[in-house]
Amino acid sequence: MLFPALFFASLSSALALPSLLSSPSKTPPLPLLIWHGLGDKFSNPGLLSMGDLATSVHPGTKVHYIRVADTPELDQRGTFFGNISAQLDDVCSSLTEELGAGRAGAGKDGVRVDALGFSQGGQFLRGLVERCPAVSVRSLVTFGSQHNGIAEFQHCGTWDLLCKGAVAVVGGNAWTDTVQSTIVPAQYYREINHTTGLGSEEYLLHSHFLADVNNERVLKNEVYKERIAALEKFVMFVFEEDTTVVPKESGWFAEVNATDGRVTPLRQRVMYREDWLGLRELDEKGGLVFRNTTGKHMELDEQVVKQTFEEFFGPERSKAVAELAQWTGAAERTVWWWPWGEEL
């Protein structure tokens, strides 16, 4: 009979999947781009440990720690002061050389990579996905990012002079060209019109970064939409106890009413219904993933990170194997803290 034969053939295939996960793959893992957050630098041991973990999960992974300057000190300063669009252009040029995207024989759609972004590094990597033809990102994973912007600037630590200097330059007016071209957090600051629920007029007119990469203006960039929709997975983690990112739900593209605290999820927003950015198309093919994790901003659970690497990074593989990966892993959990976790 046909049905029993098909049933047992399917069962046999399913039982064989675990061995596929554990056995070495002949296909090398995709390179991994990692972009750190505010106040961080490419040489931070905590950041390097993320690359080490990725390599231990998928041996042979080539990790690229994105930097906006050649020295750790200037890279850290560049998280507060600089023009994000200019930084993205420089990063794209560097990756073109590092990944060999400009060489003869390189794919016209860019070099295939995975991407991991922490805090503001998440929305910057998304900007890279949209703007940089040197890379073709398979999986974009972000932790505690501000995809829908921030409603207020963070409080600076007592001795955080870089942070205090940036806030002082803003001086209560985020929409001047000087601020929008030099203060990094101001370039993803977002005001809304509470009547329409859309971005405020000043935001749409003057935002140098976020209004553009979110395709919020009347004239839409179809390339941005196509490149986001072309992702296989876009995974967004929000920290449950995050008080650094305001509102924390920005990490899921949600809108939060500052008056009554009402949250409008992405799927109920006009940007999703009209598919300004390709998120609905990505969602309809199962590529948009919303997840939360316990802890404060940038308090990373090692097991969550490891399982994320297993599920979304590594070699190109079949859909069945990728889905099974999320069910594997030990139950033991470890918590990691960045030394300046509240400032990322």
Side-chain angles (χ1 to χ4, degrees), residues 100-133:
R103 297 174 191 162
K108 64 181 181 66
D109 295 324
V111 176
R112 195 72 160 153
V113 298
D114 288 321
L116 173 66
F118 295 115
S119 196
Q120 69 178 22
Q123 61 261 29
F124 298 167
L125 273 174
R126 178 166 59 84
L128 195 74
V129 170
E130 296 171 19
R131 295 179 176 180
C132 183

mmCIF file of all heavy atoms in Angstrom, residues 100-133:
data_model
loop_
_atom_site.group_PDB
_atom_site.id
_atom_site.type_symbol
_atom_site.label_atom_id
_atom_site.label_comp_id
_atom_site.label_asym_id
_atom_site.label_seq_id
_atom_site.Cartn_x
_atom_site.Cartn_y
_atom_site.Cartn_z
ATOM 1 N N GLY A 100 36.142 39.739 -0.731
ATOM 2 C CA GLY A 100 36.435 39.470 -2.132
ATOM 3 C C GLY A 100 35.250 39.663 -3.046
ATOM 4 O O GLY A 100 35.157 39.032 -4.110
ATOM 5 N N ALA A 101 34.320 40.559 -2.655
ATOM 6 C CA ALA A 101 33.108 40.748 -3.440
ATOM 7 C C ALA A 101 33.381 41.386 -4.791
ATOM 8 O O ALA A 101 32.592 41.249 -5.717
ATOM 9 C CB ALA A 101 32.113 41.609 -2.656
ATOM 10 N N GLY A 102 34.511 42.089 -4.896
ATOM 11 C CA GLY A 102 34.818 42.754 -6.157
ATOM 12 C C GLY A 102 35.624 41.909 -7.120
ATOM 13 O O GLY A 102 35.915 42.336 -8.243
ATOM 14 N N ARG A 103 35.992 40.705 -6.713
ATOM 15 C CA ARG A 103 36.831 39.863 -7.569
ATOM 16 C C ARG A 103 36.032 39.253 -8.714
ATOM 17 O O ARG A 103 34.819 39.072 -8.621
ATOM 18 C CB ARG A 103 37.452 38.731 -6.747
ATOM 19 C CG ARG A 103 38.389 39.202 -5.648
ATOM 20 C CD ARG A 103 38.846 38.039 -4.798
ATOM 21 N NE ARG A 103 39.531 38.489 -3.597
ATOM 22 C CZ ARG A 103 39.728 37.722 -2.534
ATOM 23 N NH1 ARG A 103 39.302 36.469 -2.529
ATOM 24 N NH2 ARG A 103 40.362 38.201 -1.478
ATOM 25 N N ALA A 104 36.735 38.896 -9.750
ATOM 26 C CA ALA A 104 36.100 38.214 -10.879
ATOM 27 C C ALA A 104 35.526 36.887 -10.406
ATOM 28 O O ALA A 104 36.169 36.145 -9.657
ATOM 29 C CB ALA A 104 37.124 37.986 -11.994
ATOM 30 N N GLY A 105 34.319 36.606 -10.793
ATOM 31 C CA GLY A 105 33.673 35.361 -10.396
ATOM 32 C C GLY A 105 32.798 35.495 -9.171
ATOM 33 O O GLY A 105 32.037 34.574 -8.847
ATOM 34 N N ALA A 106 32.903 36.622 -8.464
ATOM 35 C CA ALA A 106 32.033 36.831 -7.307
ATOM 36 C C ALA A 106 30.604 37.028 -7.791
ATOM 37 O O ALA A 106 30.357 37.621 -8.839
ATOM 38 C CB ALA A 106 32.497 38.049 -6.506
ATOM 39 N N GLY A 107 29.646 36.529 -7.028
ATOM 40 C CA GLY A 107 28.251 36.626 -7.415
ATOM 41 C C GLY A 107 27.792 38.071 -7.550
ATOM 42 O O GLY A 107 28.227 38.943 -6.801
ATOM 43 N N LYS A 108 26.905 38.320 -8.507
ATOM 44 C CA LYS A 108 26.423 39.680 -8.724
ATOM 45 C C LYS A 108 25.579 40.174 -7.562
ATOM 46 O O LYS A 108 25.406 41.381 -7.388
ATOM 47 C CB LYS A 108 25.619 39.746 -10.017
ATOM 48 C CG LYS A 108 24.346 38.912 -10.037
ATOM 49 C CD LYS A 108 23.641 39.023 -11.370
ATOM 50 C CE LYS A 108 22.358 38.199 -11.391
ATOM 51 N NZ LYS A 108 21.345 38.708 -10.460
ATOM 52 N N ASP A 109 25.048 39.252 -6.749
ATOM 53 C CA ASP A 109 24.225 39.633 -5.607
ATOM 54 C C ASP A 109 25.033 39.784 -4.323
ATOM 55 O O ASP A 109 24.464 40.002 -3.254
ATOM 56 C CB ASP A 109 23.114 38.592 -5.387
ATOM 57 C CG ASP A 109 22.130 38.561 -6.544
ATOM 58 O OD1 ASP A 109 21.859 39.638 -7.110
ATOM 59 O OD2 ASP A 109 21.653 37.474 -6.889
ATOM 60 N N GLY A 110 26.338 39.657 -4.402
ATOM 61 C CA GLY A 110 27.175 39.806 -3.230
ATOM 62 C C GLY A 110 27.560 38.488 -2.596
ATOM 63 O O GLY A 110 27.020 37.428 -2.926
ATOM 64 N N VAL A 111 28.508 38.553 -1.668
ATOM 65 C CA VAL A 111 28.995 37.365 -0.977
ATOM 66 C C VAL A 111 27.977 36.945 0.084
ATOM 67 O O VAL A 111 27.492 37.764 0.859
ATOM 68 C CB VAL A 111 30.360 37.642 -0.324
ATOM 69 C CG1 VAL A 111 30.828 36.444 0.488
ATOM 70 C CG2 VAL A 111 31.392 37.991 -1.395
ATOM 71 N N ARG A 112 27.686 35.664 0.132
ATOM 72 C CA ARG A 112 26.696 35.126 1.074
ATOM 73 C C ARG A 112 27.274 35.136 2.481
ATOM 74 O O ARG A 112 28.363 34.595 2.736
ATOM 75 C CB ARG A 112 26.341 33.704 0.676
ATOM 76 C CG ARG A 112 25.101 33.141 1.315
ATOM 77 C CD ARG A 112 23.863 33.755 0.755
ATOM 78 N NE ARG A 112 22.692 32.915 1.013
ATOM 79 C CZ ARG A 112 21.466 33.408 1.103
ATOM 80 N NH1 ARG A 112 21.249 34.713 0.963
ATOM 81 N NH2 ARG A 112 20.448 32.597 1.309
ATOM 82 N N VAL A 113 26.576 35.748 3.442
ATOM 83 C CA VAL A 113 27.038 35.858 4.822
ATOM 84 C C VAL A 113 25.855 35.758 5.773
ATOM 85 O O VAL A 113 24.690 35.870 5.366
ATOM 86 C CB VAL A 113 27.774 37.201 5.085
ATOM 87 C CG1 VAL A 113 29.018 37.338 4.225
ATOM 88 C CG2 VAL A 113 26.833 38.384 4.863
ATOM 89 N N ASP A 114 26.156 35.578 7.058
ATOM 90 C CA ASP A 114 25.197 35.757 8.142
ATOM 91 C C ASP A 114 25.598 37.011 8.905
ATOM 92 O O ASP A 114 26.741 37.483 8.802
ATOM 93 C CB ASP A 114 25.188 34.547 9.082
ATOM 94 C CG ASP A 114 24.536 33.326 8.457
ATOM 95 O OD1 ASP A 114 23.518 33.490 7.758
ATOM 96 O OD2 ASP A 114 25.038 32.201 8.670
ATOM 97 N N ALA A 115 24.667 37.559 9.707
ATOM 98 C CA ALA A 115 24.948 38.820 10.400
ATOM 99 C C ALA A 115 24.331 38.812 11.791
ATOM 100 O O ALA A 115 23.189 38.371 11.978
ATOM 101 C CB ALA A 115 24.419 40.000 9.591
ATOM 102 N N LEU A 116 25.099 39.317 12.764
ATOM 103 C CA LEU A 116 24.683 39.367 14.162
ATOM 104 C C LEU A 116 24.907 40.774 14.687
ATOM 105 O O LEU A 116 26.044 41.274 14.698
ATOM 106 C CB LEU A 116 25.506 38.358 14.975
ATOM 107 C CG LEU A 116 25.346 38.362 16.496
ATOM 108 C CD1 LEU A 116 23.935 37.924 16.901
ATOM 109 C CD2 LEU A 116 26.389 37.433 17.135
ATOM 110 N N GLY A 117 23.836 41.432 15.144
ATOM 111 C CA GLY A 117 23.946 42.796 15.619
ATOM 112 C C GLY A 117 23.491 42.949 17.051
ATOM 113 O O GLY A 117 22.430 42.435 17.430
ATOM 114 N N PHE A 118 24.303 43.651 17.848
ATOM 115 C CA PHE A 118 23.956 43.922 19.239
ATOM 116 C C PHE A 118 23.550 45.375 19.394
ATOM 117 O O PHE A 118 24.270 46.294 18.973
ATOM 118 C CB PHE A 118 25.143 43.609 20.152
ATOM 119 C CG PHE A 118 25.518 42.153 20.159
ATOM 120 C CD1 PHE A 118 26.746 41.724 19.671
ATOM 121 C CD2 PHE A 118 24.640 41.193 20.642
ATOM 122 C CE1 PHE A 118 27.096 40.389 19.670
ATOM 123 C CE2 PHE A 118 24.978 39.844 20.646
ATOM 124 C CZ PHE A 118 26.201 39.445 20.154
ATOM 125 N N SER A 119 22.401 45.608 20.018
ATOM 126 C CA SER A 119 21.867 46.939 20.262
ATOM 127 C C SER A 119 21.866 47.742 18.957
ATOM 128 O O SER A 119 21.365 47.259 17.942
ATOM 129 C CB SER A 119 22.654 47.616 21.380
ATOM 130 O OG SER A 119 21.961 48.737 21.885
ATOM 131 N N GLN A 120 22.455 48.949 18.932
ATOM 132 C CA GLN A 120 22.367 49.766 17.729
ATOM 133 C C GLN A 120 23.053 49.108 16.535
ATOM 134 O O GLN A 120 22.718 49.402 15.383
ATOM 135 C CB GLN A 120 22.943 51.160 17.965
ATOM 136 C CG GLN A 120 24.440 51.233 18.172
ATOM 137 C CD GLN A 120 24.933 52.671 18.351
ATOM 138 O OE1 GLN A 120 24.172 53.561 18.722
ATOM 139 N NE2 GLN A 120 26.217 52.900 18.104
ATOM 140 N N GLY A 121 23.970 48.188 16.794
ATOM 141 C CA GLY A 121 24.593 47.464 15.700
ATOM 142 C C GLY A 121 23.604 46.658 14.882
ATOM 143 O O GLY A 121 23.861 46.348 13.716
ATOM 144 N N GLY A 122 22.455 46.332 15.492
ATOM 145 C CA GLY A 122 21.427 45.576 14.779
ATOM 146 C C GLY A 122 20.800 46.369 13.652
ATOM 147 O O GLY A 122 20.688 45.884 12.517
ATOM 148 N N GLN A 123 20.368 47.619 13.958
ATOM 149 C CA GLN A 123 19.770 48.409 12.885
ATOM 150 C C GLN A 123 20.812 48.888 11.881
ATOM 151 O O GLN A 123 20.500 49.126 10.714
ATOM 152 C CB GLN A 123 18.959 49.592 13.421
ATOM 153 C CG GLN A 123 19.704 50.617 14.238
ATOM 154 C CD GLN A 123 19.507 50.393 15.729
ATOM 155 O OE1 GLN A 123 19.290 49.265 16.173
ATOM 156 N NE2 GLN A 123 19.565 51.455 16.518
ATOM 157 N N PHE A 124 22.077 48.989 12.312
ATOM 158 C CA PHE A 124 23.115 49.358 11.350
ATOM 159 C C PHE A 124 23.366 48.200 10.374
ATOM 160 O O PHE A 124 23.569 48.419 9.175
ATOM 161 C CB PHE A 124 24.412 49.732 12.064
ATOM 162 C CG PHE A 124 24.281 50.929 12.977
ATOM 163 C CD1 PHE A 124 25.275 51.238 13.892
ATOM 164 C CD2 PHE A 124 23.160 51.745 12.929
ATOM 165 C CE1 PHE A 124 25.166 52.336 14.727
ATOM 166 C CE2 PHE A 124 23.038 52.851 13.771
ATOM 167 C CZ PHE A 124 24.042 53.144 14.677
ATOM 168 N N LEU A 125 23.349 46.973 10.884
ATOM 169 C CA LEU A 125 23.494 45.819 9.993
ATOM 170 C C LEU A 125 22.310 45.727 9.033
ATOM 171 O O LEU A 125 22.483 45.364 7.864
ATOM 172 C CB LEU A 125 23.607 44.524 10.803
ATOM 173 C CG LEU A 125 25.005 44.142 11.261
ATOM 174 C CD1 LEU A 125 24.951 42.922 12.175
ATOM 175 C CD2 LEU A 125 25.928 43.860 10.080
ATOM 176 N N ARG A 126 21.124 46.054 9.523
ATOM 177 C CA ARG A 126 19.957 46.055 8.620
ATOM 178 C C ARG A 126 20.151 47.110 7.526
ATOM 179 O O ARG A 126 19.815 46.877 6.359
ATOM 180 C CB ARG A 126 18.670 46.312 9.409
ATOM 181 C CG ARG A 126 17.439 46.366 8.510
ATOM 182 C CD ARG A 126 16.162 46.270 9.311
ATOM 183 N NE ARG A 126 16.050 47.339 10.279
ATOM 184 C CZ ARG A 126 15.578 48.573 10.004
ATOM 185 N NH1 ARG A 126 15.218 48.881 8.766
ATOM 186 N NH2 ARG A 126 15.471 49.484 10.954
ATOM 187 N N GLY A 127 20.688 48.266 7.903
ATOM 188 C CA GLY A 127 21.005 49.269 6.896
ATOM 189 C C GLY A 127 22.014 48.744 5.890
ATOM 190 O O GLY A 127 21.934 49.033 4.688
ATOM 191 N N LEU A 128 22.970 47.947 6.370
ATOM 192 C CA LEU A 128 23.960 47.341 5.482
ATOM 193 C C LEU A 128 23.285 46.357 4.525
ATOM 194 O O LEU A 128 23.616 46.315 3.340
ATOM 195 C CB LEU A 128 25.035 46.636 6.310
ATOM 196 C CG LEU A 128 26.324 46.267 5.583
ATOM 197 C CD1 LEU A 128 27.178 47.515 5.339
ATOM 198 C CD2 LEU A 128 27.125 45.245 6.381
ATOM 199 N N VAL A 129 22.352 45.564 5.044
ATOM 200 C CA VAL A 129 21.593 44.642 4.193
ATOM 201 C C VAL A 129 20.930 45.410 3.056
ATOM 202 O O VAL A 129 20.977 44.995 1.885
ATOM 203 C CB VAL A 129 20.521 43.888 5.016
ATOM 204 C CG1 VAL A 129 19.564 43.125 4.096
ATOM 205 C CG2 VAL A 129 21.165 42.936 6.008
ATOM 206 N N GLU A 130 20.327 46.539 3.381
ATOM 207 C CA GLU A 130 19.558 47.302 2.407
ATOM 208 C C GLU A 130 20.441 48.039 1.399
ATOM 209 O O GLU A 130 20.075 48.169 0.232
ATOM 210 C CB GLU A 130 18.666 48.311 3.138
ATOM 211 C CG GLU A 130 17.613 47.660 4.023
ATOM 212 C CD GLU A 130 16.880 48.657 4.902
ATOM 213 O OE1 GLU A 130 16.907 49.872 4.591
ATOM 214 O OE2 GLU A 130 16.267 48.243 5.903
ATOM 215 N N ARG A 131 21.613 48.495 1.848
ATOM 216 C CA ARG A 131 22.399 49.428 1.034
ATOM 217 C C ARG A 131 23.662 48.861 0.405
ATOM 218 O O ARG A 131 24.192 49.450 -0.546
ATOM 219 C CB ARG A 131 22.800 50.635 1.883
ATOM 220 C CG ARG A 131 21.649 51.500 2.345
ATOM 221 C CD ARG A 131 22.180 52.646 3.203
ATOM 222 N NE ARG A 131 21.152 53.588 3.617
ATOM 223 C CZ ARG A 131 21.390 54.665 4.374
ATOM 224 N NH1 ARG A 131 22.630 54.916 4.785
ATOM 225 N NH2 ARG A 131 20.407 55.470 4.703
ATOM 226 N N CYS A 132 24.174 47.758 0.939
ATOM 227 C CA CYS A 132 25.497 47.285 0.507
ATOM 228 C C CYS A 132 25.398 46.107 -0.458
ATOM 229 O O CYS A 132 25.070 44.986 -0.037
ATOM 230 C CB CYS A 132 26.339 46.897 1.721
ATOM 231 S SG CYS A 132 28.020 46.372 1.297
ATOM 232 N N PRO A 133 25.707 46.302 -1.737
ATOM 233 C CA PRO A 133 25.615 45.204 -2.703
ATOM 234 C C PRO A 133 26.724 44.170 -2.564
ATOM 235 O O PRO A 133 26.669 43.117 -3.206
ATOM 236 C CB PRO A 133 25.712 45.933 -4.056
ATOM 237 C CG PRO A 133 26.485 47.179 -3.761
ATOM 238 C CD PRO A 133 26.095 47.582 -2.366
#
